[in-house]
Amino acid sequence: MILKLFGKMVRNWKAKLISLIIASIFYVNLQNSKVLIKTVNVPIDYPKLSGNLSYSKNPEKTIPVRVEGLKDVVNYYSQFMKAVIDPEDVQLGVTEVPIKKIVGVPSGVKVTKLKKTVPVEIESRGLKVVPIEVVFEGNPPANFEKLTQILSPQKITLSGKPQDLEKINKVVLPEISLVDRKEPFAKTVKIPDLPKGVNVLGSRDVTVNVNIIPLSYKTGEQTAAGIPIVCSGLDPKLDAELSEEQVAIRYFSLKPIRSAQILTGITAQVPCNYIFDPIKNKIVPELQPQVAKVRIIKNKDLKGIEILQISPEKIEIRYKVKEQNIDPDNIDDGTGMEGITPHPSDRS
């Protein structure tokens, strides 16, 4: 029985062997037709720098890799792959940083890095707070004068190389014309272009409020606008944002008085009495905003006038902790390495 079965199996064995070889070739070709090998450029995921460090030049955005796997899988997942850099390998200066891994690679796909390092240049950047200065062109018409101007903000924070920041002590805005101006006005001015490599932190818009008043003397009931509000008793560790920057008053005077005397001899104050508790690391009290009543203070020459109305009578005050690295008395000198771990070769 066994012999008969064996005889049938070996009958025409050559033809059967050829058929098997042909079937194997077809199978291999079929499988190979599903496998794709191609080179793609995957984006590099650079670590975010903290402190006063920055990438001094635009680093390479992609690196080439060879991807091998099933055609459909390779074509679909290639778009999600990323080259990752270890933050510990990033250091100050120019270095060749290794690409340690490619993320987003699915199972069954082989990835070969065709470039194993990328050049990265890190530089130290400093911060500097400088005042803003406004320049006026021309004069108001006869019998009018420019009394005061208020800038918001009054200072800006610049970022750049320490040697570049040393050359800048103030920022001067473009000229504002006073010709034909007979009443107070506000104008938004953009900070002009700064030297290459120096940037402004925050908005580049500055609002300039200019107070134009008549030179005439008047008696009786009058109004005066554009009196700046002063934040009294502010904790040096806090910044205060006022809902209004100026007030207007209605007053009565028996003696002739110039508007300029009112605006120079009267101060509007609000009590900024919140404090920063360093132990609890928070602002006390916690409830914000603070609603504060505006107080008018007159100098001795204006004791005889009567304040009839203040507008607004109350304002809101919001507090925030002053950023230490932006404090003019505590500006970082641009040599810090916060957030960057030294390279192993630099460790002692």
Side-chain angles (χ1 to χ4, degrees):
M1 183 69 179
I2 296 176
L3 291 176
K4 288 182 179 180
L5 182 61
F6 179 75
K8 291 181 179 180
M9 292 178 61
V10 298
R11 186 182 302 164
N12 297 325
W13 66 272
K14 291 183 179 180
K16 292 179 179 179
L17 179 60
I18 293 173
S19 298
L20 179 62
I21 293 173
I22 293 174
S24 298
I25 292 173
F26 275 113
Y27 178 79
V28 171
N29 286 336
L30 178 62
Q31 295 302 313
N32 286 340
S33 66
K34 295 181 180 179
V35 174
L36 176 65
I37 301 175
K38 72 174 184 177
T39 299
V40 297
N41 290 319
V42 298
I44 304 173
D45 190 10
Y46 288 95
K48 184 179 179 180
L49 301 179
S50 58
N52 57 346
L53 300 178
S54 66
Y55 295 98
S56 60
K57 296 180 180 179
N58 292 329
E60 295 182 17
K61 295 181 179 180
T62 62
I63 64 162
V65 297
R66 185 169 63 245
V67 186
E68 180 179 354
L70 294 177
K71 182 177 180 180
D72 292 341
V73 176
V74 168
N75 286 335
Y76 179 73
Y77 283 96
S78 294
Q79 60 184 320
F80 303 114
M81 297 180 187
K82 286 185 179 180
V84 176
I85 288 178
D86 192 331
E88 291 189 356
D89 293 326
V90 178
Q91 58 181 314
L92 192 64
V94 182
T95 53
E96 286 286 335
V97 179
I99 302 293
K100 290 196 172 177
K101 60 180 179 179
I102 306 295
V103 297
V105 181
S107 177
V109 174
K110 180 182 178 182
V111 175
T112 304
K113 292 177 286 188
L114 301 181
K115 187 174 183 179
K116 296 184 178 180
T117 64
V118 290
V120 177
E121 183 174 351
I122 305 296
E123 68 176 4
S124 173
R125 297 181 69 82
L127 298 175
K128 186 175 183 180
V129 177
V130 297
I132 302 173
E133 185 176 293
V134 61
V135 178
F136 295 99
E137 177 188 18
N139 297 298
N143 298 321
F144 290 87
E145 67 173 336
K146 179 189 74 66
L147 186 64
T148 59
Q149 70 271 350
I150 299 178
L151 279 63
S152 180
Q154 297 180 353
K155 297 180 179 180
I156 56 171
T157 303
L158 304 180
S159 170
K161 295 181 180 180
Q163 58 268 32
D164 293 335
L165 295 178
E166 287 180 3
K167 304 173 184 177
I168 304 175
N169 295 316
K170 63 181 179 181
V171 171
V172 180
L173 299 177
E175 290 184 345
I176 296 177
S177 175
L178 298 178
V179 177
D180 296 331
R181 294 286 189 175
K182 296 181 180 180
E183 57 185 21
F185 67 94
K187 186 177 180 66
T188 299
V189 184
K190 283 196 174 294
I191 294 173
D193 292 337
L194 299 171
K196 186 177 181 181
V198 177
N199 300 313
V200 177
L201 296 187
S203 174
R204 298 181 67 95
D205 291 338
V206 179
T207 301
V208 183
N209 288 280
V210 183
N211 201 3
I212 305 291
I213 64 169
L215 293 174
S216 60
Y217 287 82
K218 293 182 180 180
T219 60
E221 187 177 306
Q222 303 173 56
T223 60
I227 300 174
I229 302 176
V230 178
C231 197
S232 175
L234 180 63
D235 187 327
K237 297 183 181 66
L238 298 178
D239 280 327
E241 180 181 337
L242 309 182
S243 60
E244 299 288 341
E245 297 287 341
Q246 302 175 342
V247 296
I249 63 170
R250 187 163 58 89
Y251 64 95
F252 179 83
S253 176
L254 291 174
K255 297 180 179 180
I257 191 167
R258 288 178 56 191
S259 299
Q261 290 179 266
I262 295 292
L263 296 175
T264 56
I266 285 183
T267 303
Q269 287 188 358
V270 288
C272 297
N273 48 20
Y274 279 36
I275 63 171
F276 176 72
D277 188 335
I279 298 177
K280 297 181 180 180
N281 194 31
K282 65 180 182 179
I283 298 172
V284 180
E286 296 184 43
L287 182 63
Q288 291 207 54
Q290 173 192 1
V291 178
K293 186 174 181 180
V294 179
R295 180 187 176 196
I296 297 296
I297 300 174
K298 302 176 288 185
N299 66 14
K300 61 180 181 179
D301 296 329
L302 299 177
K303 293 297 183 181
I305 72 169
E306 179 185 359
I307 305 297
L308 303 176
Q309 183 182 11
I310 305 171
S311 180
E313 293 183 349
K314 296 180 181 180
I315 66 168
E316 292 183 351
I317 308 173
R318 293 184 182 273
Y319 298 88
K320 65 178 181 179
V321 180
K322 186 176 294 183
E323 297 182 31
Q324 292 185 358
N325 63 337
I326 297 182
D327 189 331
D329 297 325
N330 194 21
I331 293 296
D332 195 293
D333 61 0
T335 59
M337 286 287 290
E338 178 186 352
I340 299 297
T341 304
H343 196 271
S345 61
D346 295 335
R347 295 191 180 105
S348 57

PDB file of all heavy atoms in Angstrom, residues 59 166 192 252:
ATOM      1  N   PRO A  59      17.761  76.205  11.827  1.00  0.00           N
ATOM      2  CA  PRO A  59      18.345  74.871  11.690  1.00  0.00           C
ATOM      3  C   PRO A  59      17.667  74.089  10.573  1.00  0.00           C
ATOM      4  O   PRO A  59      16.592  74.467  10.086  1.00  0.00           O
ATOM      5  CB  PRO A  59      18.076  74.235  13.060  1.00  0.00           C
ATOM      6  CG  PRO A  59      16.882  74.954  13.592  1.00  0.00           C
ATOM      7  CD  PRO A  59      16.939  76.342  13.046  1.00  0.00           C
ATOM      8  N   GLU A 166      23.433  96.743  24.460  1.00  0.00           N
ATOM      9  CA  GLU A 166      24.191  97.790  25.145  1.00  0.00           C
ATOM     10  C   GLU A 166      24.120  99.125  24.408  1.00  0.00           C
ATOM     11  O   GLU A 166      24.220 100.193  25.014  1.00  0.00           O
ATOM     12  CB  GLU A 166      25.659  97.368  25.278  1.00  0.00           C
ATOM     13  CG  GLU A 166      25.888  96.276  26.325  1.00  0.00           C
ATOM     14  CD  GLU A 166      27.351  95.888  26.408  1.00  0.00           C
ATOM     15  OE1 GLU A 166      28.178  96.510  25.686  1.00  0.00           O
ATOM     16  OE2 GLU A 166      27.682  94.976  27.175  1.00  0.00           O
ATOM     17  N   PRO A 192       9.379 101.925  15.679  1.00  0.00           N
ATOM     18  CA  PRO A 192      10.136 101.837  14.418  1.00  0.00           C
ATOM     19  C   PRO A 192      11.035 100.610  14.381  1.00  0.00           C
ATOM     20  O   PRO A 192      11.245  99.926  15.383  1.00  0.00           O
ATOM     21  CB  PRO A 192      10.953 103.141  14.427  1.00  0.00           C
ATOM     22  CG  PRO A 192      11.079 103.508  15.869  1.00  0.00           C
ATOM     23  CD  PRO A 192       9.801 103.056  16.521  1.00  0.00           C
ATOM     24  N   PHE A 252     -15.296 124.350  40.429  1.00  0.00           N
ATOM     25  CA  PHE A 252     -15.789 125.727  40.511  1.00  0.00           C
ATOM     26  C   PHE A 252     -14.711 126.596  41.143  1.00  0.00           C
ATOM     27  O   PHE A 252     -14.077 126.213  42.129  1.00  0.00           O
ATOM     28  CB  PHE A 252     -17.070 125.800  41.350  1.00  0.00           C
ATOM     29  CG  PHE A 252     -17.605 127.191  41.491  1.00  0.00           C
ATOM     30  CD1 PHE A 252     -18.393 127.748  40.507  1.00  0.00           C
ATOM     31  CD2 PHE A 252     -17.314 127.963  42.626  1.00  0.00           C
ATOM     32  CE1 PHE A 252     -18.893 129.035  40.637  1.00  0.00           C
ATOM     33  CE2 PHE A 252     -17.806 129.246  42.754  1.00  0.00           C
ATOM     34  CZ  PHE A 252     -18.600 129.784  41.759  1.00  0.00           C
TER      35      PHE A 252
END
